[in-house]
């Protein structure tokens, strides 16, 4: 018997001699007789077809059940990563996904798919970790691995894109080879090898001996071209820093912390209020978000012009620059974020990083992907860690100065309200609840305090020199 | 290949051209132009008159007029699996598109059905077989469930100028006629009710209840071959912006997970498209 199985369509078609019939996922009944002309209608635009030879009906039914679960798992994982969907839907998706991940083969399928391409900038990985429901440990493990491997995923995907079409034969054959390599788990295994910092030769052998390589046309040349950047760079650095989202997991599991990512919001407020430790935590939390966004923008932008340059170094450099920008000028960019505007802080920072990277890439002089690279001394000047640290120090000093100046002018109640409204960024309702004032009174105070801060800013600008 | 005069310069040009070769102005959509050919219009009108006269003779003209009126308000409905509709609804989102694209194995284009489909399309839309999308005419919000559990009603204002109605499943219809298209088998969108009367009036009796009329226009069979419907041909692509409403219905296979339906409903709500879950 021959068969074709699609999890997306939820259908398996069976050919037994000249008889055609269909099995349907989730239905135990006998096969439904079919005619060949029904095939395209039944399979629709499904693109996850698996063709099977010499197979019996029970095995086809098993394959169909698994393929259907795999299609659902992919769909659910994408919903979980989708920042535009409401919290309750993402949470429900995490519960459904947790159930599916009970089978190791489903986890394997997700890894094979998600390790073949870096997450686009719009993917909200931090939000997925925070929004997932409490008892979803398998989902947490998957997401944290996905997070920690993003740099290695980007590198392997970038190296794949670097292989000239001629090596495959044609663009169509290239696409087929990509699907075969993805389904065979070659992307996933190379990503793991890269992340584990295996030595160049071991990495190369790992690829060459992989079973799915055997199904690639022109396999040796493809693999040689694919892995050549890594053979040249035998240092095999660690791929991605330790995941910063461990704390997000803790936050997610706390029942009272159900919306947003409160820890990072608190760190932001405290950092802007001059807390050095909070600023460090915030930098550590935001860095991977920025790196992911930068890496993705670079990969999208680049095609050939970056030959000979290290994508890893460029990501690191741009990340530092963007961190600097976030904190510069009294944390002006960071202050623009507000939870009421609907974006998580991580997503907001990801967008800032995306825009800044695009701006750098568009600019003639600054683009790291130009054939004439930016001078190292220029980069050092712009983005050195010393400069970033200095910026944070300036921010701390600025906030201390603000506090000192305002405390002189304001009554204890005024300062308390300033703290609640501007430093802790509580809503009017929350301030009403905490102080017992009427909402009208809080609105009036907010307006008065806002004018005072503007005056203070103007005075500061007029003062010569630094703080 | 027939020719028609250009609406602007008056010179004739072949129907399958999207642009007048003389003045370079855009032509009508080829499927619409074919439906407007005089011989087609005349043949459809003759079928219609004959159907109405037959109905009058049987004493059911009023019922036939009721069908005509309802068919004039009918919609193009597309039925596809929920996952496919969701992909259409997220096609502008890189997150979804990039990972779905990776799956990458589709039905080969050279199977028996696709050969038949191409043969039929070449007769109906010479030179432009890849530009036509198919739907079914329906008096309600649900289409042919054999094609999927998710029915999408398309907005008239985004298709009426480029849509035509055809007698039945075009592949089966043409195959049964040795790939010869009888004149009067298709109608411009605004004449779809005439085609419905020409096709269905013979099945109406004086006692046919009003609620049966919808079933005459569209009747899902046990398999897609047994479906009875009026096929809609829509020239060119469409996006989720062409959706008017979506209905999820029970199907033969596994029931879609509620959260997948909720996610789709949420995406559609953003663009003002309601989703009804009938599962």
């Amino acid at each position: 018997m021959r068969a074709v199985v699609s999890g997306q369509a939820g259908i398996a078609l069976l050919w037994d001699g000249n008889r055609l019939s269909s099995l349907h996922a989730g239905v135990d009944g006998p096969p439904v007789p079919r005619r060949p002309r029904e095939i395209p209608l039944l399979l629709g635009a499904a693109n996850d077809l698996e063709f099977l030879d010499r197979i019996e009906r029970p095995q086809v039914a098993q394959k169909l059940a698994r393929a259907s679960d795999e299609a659902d798992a992919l769909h659910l994982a994408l919903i979980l990563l989708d920042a535009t969907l409401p919290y309750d839907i993402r949470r429900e998706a995490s519960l459904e996904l947790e159930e599916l991940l009970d089978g190791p083969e489903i986890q394997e399928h997700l890894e094979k798919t998600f390790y073949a391409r870096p997450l686009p900038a719009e993917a909200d990985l931090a939000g997925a970790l925070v929004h997932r429901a409490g008892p979803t440990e398998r989902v947490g493990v998957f997401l944290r691995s996905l997070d920690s491997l993003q740099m290695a995923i980007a590198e392997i995907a970038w190296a794949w894109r670097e292989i000239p079409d001629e090596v495959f034969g044609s663009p169509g054959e290239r696409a087929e080879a990509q699907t075969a390599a993805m389904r065979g788990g070659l992307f996933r295994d190379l990503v793991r090898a890269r992340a584990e910092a295996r030595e160049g030769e071991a990495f190369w052998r790992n690829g060459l001996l992989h079973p799915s390589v055997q199904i690639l046309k022109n396999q040796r040349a493809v693999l040689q071209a694919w892995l050549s950047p890594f053979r040249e760079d035998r240092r095999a650095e660690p791929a991605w820093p330790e995941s910063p989202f461990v704390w997000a997991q803790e936050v997610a599991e706390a029942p009272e912390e159900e919306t947003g990512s409160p820890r990072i919001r608190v760190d932001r407020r405290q950092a802007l209020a001059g807390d050095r430790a909070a600023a460090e935590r915030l930098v550590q939390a935001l860095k991977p978000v920025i790196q992911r966004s930068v890496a993705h923008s670079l990969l999208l932008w680049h095609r050939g012009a970056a030959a000979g340059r290290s994508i890893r170094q460029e990501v690191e450099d741009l990340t530092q620059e963007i961190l600097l920008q976030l904190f510069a000028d009294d944390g002006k960019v960071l202050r623009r974020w507000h939870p009421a505007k609907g974006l998580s802080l991580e997503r907001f920072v990801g967008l800032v990083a995306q825009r800044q990277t695009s701006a750098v890439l568009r600019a003639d002089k600054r683009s790291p992907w130009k054939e004439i690279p930016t001078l190292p001394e220029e980069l050092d000047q712009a983005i050195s860690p010393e400069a970033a640290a200095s910026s944070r120090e300036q921010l701390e000093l600025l906030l201390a100065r603000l506090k000192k100046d305002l405390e002189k002018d304001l009554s204890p109640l005024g300062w308390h309200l300033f703290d609640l409204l501007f430093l802790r960024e509580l809503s009017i309702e929350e301030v009403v609840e905490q102080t017992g004032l009427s909402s009208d009174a809080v609105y009036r105070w907010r307006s008065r305090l806002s004018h005072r801060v503007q005056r203070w800013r103007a005075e500061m600008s007029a003062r010569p020199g630094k703080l | 290949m027939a020719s028609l005069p250009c609406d602007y310069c008056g010179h004739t040009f072949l129907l399958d051209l999207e642009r007048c070769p003389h003045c370079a102005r855009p032509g009508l959509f080829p499927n619409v132009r074919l439906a407007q050919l005089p011989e087609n219009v005349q043949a459809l009108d003759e079928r219609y008159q004959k159907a109405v006269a037959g109905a009058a003779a049987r004493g059911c003209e009023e019922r036939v007029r009721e069908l005509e009126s309802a068919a004039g308000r009918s919609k193009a409905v597309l039925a596809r699996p929920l996952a496919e509709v969701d992909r259409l609804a997220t096609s502008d989102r890189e997150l979804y598109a990039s990972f779905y694209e990776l799956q990458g194995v589709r039905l080969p284009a050279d199977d028996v059905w696709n050969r038949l489909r191409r043969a039929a399309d070449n007769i109906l839309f010479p030179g432009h077989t890849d530009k036509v999308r198919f739907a079914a005419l329906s008096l309600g919000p649900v289409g042919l469930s054999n094609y999927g559990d998710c029915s999408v009603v398309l907005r008239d204002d985004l298709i009426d100028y480029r849509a035509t109605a055809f007698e039945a499943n075009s592949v089966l219809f043409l195959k049964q006629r040795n790939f010869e298209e009888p004149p009067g088998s298709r109608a411009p969108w605004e004449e779809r009710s005439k085609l419905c009367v020409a096709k269905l009036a013979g099945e109406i009796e004086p006692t046919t209840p009003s609620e049966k009329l919808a079933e005459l226009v569209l009747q899902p069979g046990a398999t897609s071959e047994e479906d009875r419907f009026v096929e809609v041909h829509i020239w060119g692509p469409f996006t989720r912006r062409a959706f008017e409403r979506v209905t999820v219905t029970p199907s033969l296979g596994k029931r879609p997970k509620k959260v997948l339906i909720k996610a789709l409903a949420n995406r559609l709500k953003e663009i003002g498209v309601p989703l009804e879950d009938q599962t």
Side-chain angles (χ1 to χ4, degrees):
Chain A
M1 182 180 283
R2 289 185 300 145
V4 56
V5 175
S6 166
Q8 286 174 8
I11 280 176
L13 293 171
L14 309 168
W15 281 269
D16 193 0
N18 285 330
R19 282 188 311 175
L20 176 66
S21 58
S22 64
L23 293 178
H24 297 258
V27 178
D28 288 332
V32 181
R34 298 288 182 184
R35 293 195 179 191
R37 60 174 68 112
E38 288 182 275
I39 295 171
L41 305 178
L42 293 166
L43 295 178
N47 69 348
D48 64 339
L49 307 188
E50 186 179 4
F51 294 88
L52 305 161
D53 264 329
R54 289 191 289 277
I55 190 162
E56 295 306 312
R57 206 175 95 192
Q59 282 94 53
V60 177
Q62 279 178 0
K63 289 255 183 196
L64 174 61
R66 177 178 158 177
S68 173
D69 284 348
E70 287 174 352
D72 279 350
L74 174 59
H75 201 156
L76 291 165
L78 291 170
I79 287 173
L80 186 54
L81 288 165
D82 187 346
T84 65
L85 289 173
Y87 160 72
D88 59 326
I89 291 180
R90 295 174 74 184
R91 185 183 169 88
E92 196 175 332
S94 74
L95 287 167
E96 294 276 7
L97 184 58
E98 179 75 7
E99 206 172 301
L100 287 176
L101 286 176
D102 192 25
E105 64 277 7
I106 303 299
Q107 183 175 339
E108 191 176 74
H109 174 74
L110 283 189
E111 287 176 354
K112 285 176 179 174
T113 304
F114 280 97
Y115 290 7
R117 193 166 278 189
L119 284 173
E122 69 181 38
D124 180 21
L125 190 52
L129 272 160
V130 172
H131 288 315
R132 75 190 171 88
T136 52
E137 187 46 41
R138 289 185 286 263
V139 173
V141 168
F142 166 69
L143 291 174
R144 283 194 296 276
S145 300
L146 187 60
D147 172 47
S148 65
L149 291 171
Q150 278 304 299
M151 179 60 94
I153 291 169
E155 286 181 311
I156 296 294
W158 170 76
W160 174 269
R161 285 172 54 173
E162 282 299 289
I163 307 172
D165 281 346
E166 307 85 78
V167 177
F168 297 98
S170 68
E173 285 169 304
R174 178 195 196 95
E176 282 173 22
Q178 183 177 26
T179 301
M182 185 276 285
R183 287 189 173 189
L186 184 52
F187 276 94
R188 179 198 57 183
D189 293 350
L190 291 180
V191 162
R192 282 182 178 158
R194 180 68 178 155
E196 286 165 12
R198 291 186 202 158
E199 287 186 2
E201 280 306 319
F203 184 57
W204 163 254
R205 279 199 304 278
N206 185 288
L208 199 61
L209 297 176
H210 197 281
S212 75
V213 167
Q214 310 308 318
I215 55 177
L216 296 181
K217 186 184 161 190
N218 205 7
Q219 49 190 260
R220 200 170 180 85
V222 168
L223 203 61
Q224 196 156 12
W226 193 3
L227 298 185
S228 62
F230 308 107
R231 296 192 80 192
E232 285 155 15
D233 171 20
R234 294 183 184 207
R235 286 166 299 170
E237 306 153 14
W240 195 254
E242 199 64 28
S243 170
F245 291 116
V246 175
W247 56 263
Q249 154 120 11
E250 290 161 10
V251 170
E253 285 171 359
E256 69 280 10
E257 305 279 28
E258 284 195 330
T259 55
S261 44
R263 172 73 178 272
I264 203 167
R265 286 162 58 177
V266 171
D267 283 344
R268 171 183 163 275
R269 279 198 299 270
Q270 291 175 346
L272 289 172
D275 182 332
R276 196 185 183 93
E280 283 301 328
R281 283 198 302 274
L282 187 62
V283 167
Q284 288 310 311
L286 293 179
K287 198 172 168 188
V289 176
I290 299 170
Q291 283 174 323
R292 195 162 45 243
S293 193
V294 169
H296 185 259
S297 298
L298 288 178
L299 285 167
L300 279 183
W301 183 274
H302 160 65
R303 180 81 200 168
R309 294 190 63 82
S310 159
I311 189 170
R312 183 189 302 271
Q313 189 56 50
E314 301 300 352
V315 171
E316 288 303 319
D317 290 349
L318 279 164
T319 300
Q320 289 297 329
E321 183 170 354
I322 289 157
L323 277 170
L324 185 69
Q325 279 197 340
L326 288 175
F327 286 96
D329 195 14
D330 187 21
K332 189 176 165 188
V333 177
L334 264 184
R335 284 177 194 280
R336 268 191 222 146
W337 175 78
H338 194 279
K341 291 180 181 170
L343 283 178
S344 67
L345 178 60
E346 296 92 324
R347 174 98 179 101
F348 169 79
V349 169
L351 285 174
V352 169
Q354 195 181 353
R355 282 177 196 161
Q356 177 59 15
T357 308
S358 300
V360 168
L361 291 169
R362 275 196 297 271
D364 282 340
K365 190 178 171 191
R366 302 281 310 284
S367 173
W369 302 105
K370 292 285 167 189
E371 288 182 11
I372 303 168
T374 311
L375 292 172
E377 53 269 32
E378 287 179 320
L379 277 174
D380 288 346
Q381 198 176 8
I383 59 167
S384 69
E386 290 79 5
S390 159
S391 169
R392 284 195 295 277
E393 281 166 14
Q394 285 192 13
L395 176 65
E396 288 165 20
L397 286 170
L398 198 63
L399 287 169
R401 183 66 171 263
L402 170 66
K403 188 176 174 189
K404 194 175 158 196
D405 286 358
L406 290 186
E407 271 179 332
K408 276 193 297 188
D409 290 357
L410 298 175
S411 64
L413 175 62
W415 174 249
H416 181 53
L417 286 167
F418 178 81
D419 180 46
L420 295 178
L421 287 165
F422 291 86
L423 300 182
R424 298 191 202 183
E425 296 182 345
L426 299 186
S427 66
I428 297 286
E429 290 74 17
E430 287 169 319
V431 175
V432 167
E433 200 179 315
Q434 285 212 12
T435 59
L437 294 171
S438 70
S439 55
D440 281 350
V442 177
Y443 274 115
R444 280 197 298 276
W445 266 107
R446 189 174 69 171
S447 169
R448 204 179 306 156
L449 289 167
S450 177
H451 286 126
R452 180 65 193 89
V453 172
Q454 280 169 20
R455 275 208 315 279
W456 180 82
R457 276 190 187 153
E459 287 161 20
M460 287 299 293
S461 306
R463 288 180 205 173
K466 286 192 174 181
L467 299 161
Chain B
M1 172 64 61
S3 295
L4 275 180
C6 171
D7 290 341
Y8 301 97
C9 70
H11 298 297
T12 57
F13 68 95
L14 291 175
L15 278 175
D16 66 336
L17 296 177
E18 285 185 275
R19 194 168 280 278
C20 171
H22 311 293
C23 67
R25 288 192 174 97
L28 263 180
F29 299 96
N31 59 324
V32 178
R33 285 170 66 86
L34 281 163
Q36 290 175 340
L37 282 175
E39 59 266 33
N40 193 58
V41 171
Q42 189 184 341
L44 178 60
D45 195 54
E46 282 169 10
R47 286 184 67 201
Y48 169 77
Q49 297 298 348
K50 194 174 163 187
V52 171
R58 295 197 312 278
C60 53
E61 191 177 358
E62 194 182 327
R63 280 276 163 272
V64 171
R65 294 290 180 202
E66 196 180 333
L67 169 73
E68 185 173 3
S69 169
R73 298 187 301 274
S74 61
K75 297 282 187 177
V77 182
L78 186 75
R80 302 304 307 145
L82 182 114
E84 220 173 282
V85 174
D86 197 63
R87 262 192 284 166
L88 191 56
T90 55
S91 56
D92 56 348
R93 300 283 312 284
E94 194 191 350
L95 171 63
Y96 293 85
S98 62
F99 290 104
Y100 281 136
E101 176 202 279
L102 270 176
Q103 306 300 311
V105 180
R106 291 178 188 277
L107 196 63
D110 60 351
D111 73 294
V112 175
W113 172 267
N114 277 321
R115 284 201 294 275
L116 284 175
R117 173 89 263 168
R118 280 199 300 276
D121 290 354
N122 269 319
I123 292 162
L124 295 173
F125 323 109
H128 296 286
T129 56
D130 56 334
K131 293 192 177 162
V132 176
R133 307 288 180 273
F134 298 88
L137 213 57
S138 177
L139 302 188
V142 178
L144 295 163
S145 53
N146 280 314
Y147 292 71
D149 49 10
C150 205
S151 288
V152 179
V153 175
L154 298 173
R155 282 172 51 173
D156 272 4
D157 60 334
L158 290 183
I159 63 159
D160 58 5
Y161 52 92
R162 56 179 172 137
T164 46
F166 191 81
E167 187 85 7
N169 177 328
S170 53
V171 174
L172 294 182
F173 183 81
L174 290 174
K175 189 164 181 269
Q176 285 158 7
R177 287 157 185 78
N178 205 21
F179 291 97
E180 289 286 333
E181 181 191 351
S185 306
R186 55 169 126 195
W189 185 250
E190 64 275 11
E191 298 278 12
R192 63 194 185 283
S193 58
K194 223 174 190 178
L195 182 69
C196 289
V197 169
K199 176 184 175 180
L200 303 168
E203 297 176 40
I204 294 176
E205 300 297 332
T207 54
T208 304
S210 299
E211 57 271 20
K212 277 279 175 193
L213 297 178
E215 286 177 23
L216 286 176
V217 176
L218 182 137
Q219 193 167 28
T223 68
S224 53
E225 281 218 321
E226 292 160 33
D227 289 341
R228 296 194 57 212
F229 63 102
V230 174
E231 195 169 79
V232 179
H233 302 152
I234 303 159
W235 190 270
F238 51 79
T239 66
R240 59 183 182 154
R241 300 282 171 187
F243 293 4
E244 183 173 297
R245 61 187 295 193
V246 173
T247 307
V248 185
T249 54
S251 67
L252 179 59
K254 156 173 119 169
R255 189 177 167 281
K257 290 186 184 298
K258 279 281 176 197
V259 68
L260 303 184
I261 299 175
K262 282 185 198 171
L264 176 60
N266 190 276
R267 293 186 225 294
L268 295 174
K269 194 177 165 192
E270 281 173 17
I271 51 169
V273 177
L275 179 146
E276 186 188 352
D277 181 7
Q278 295 183 354
T279 59

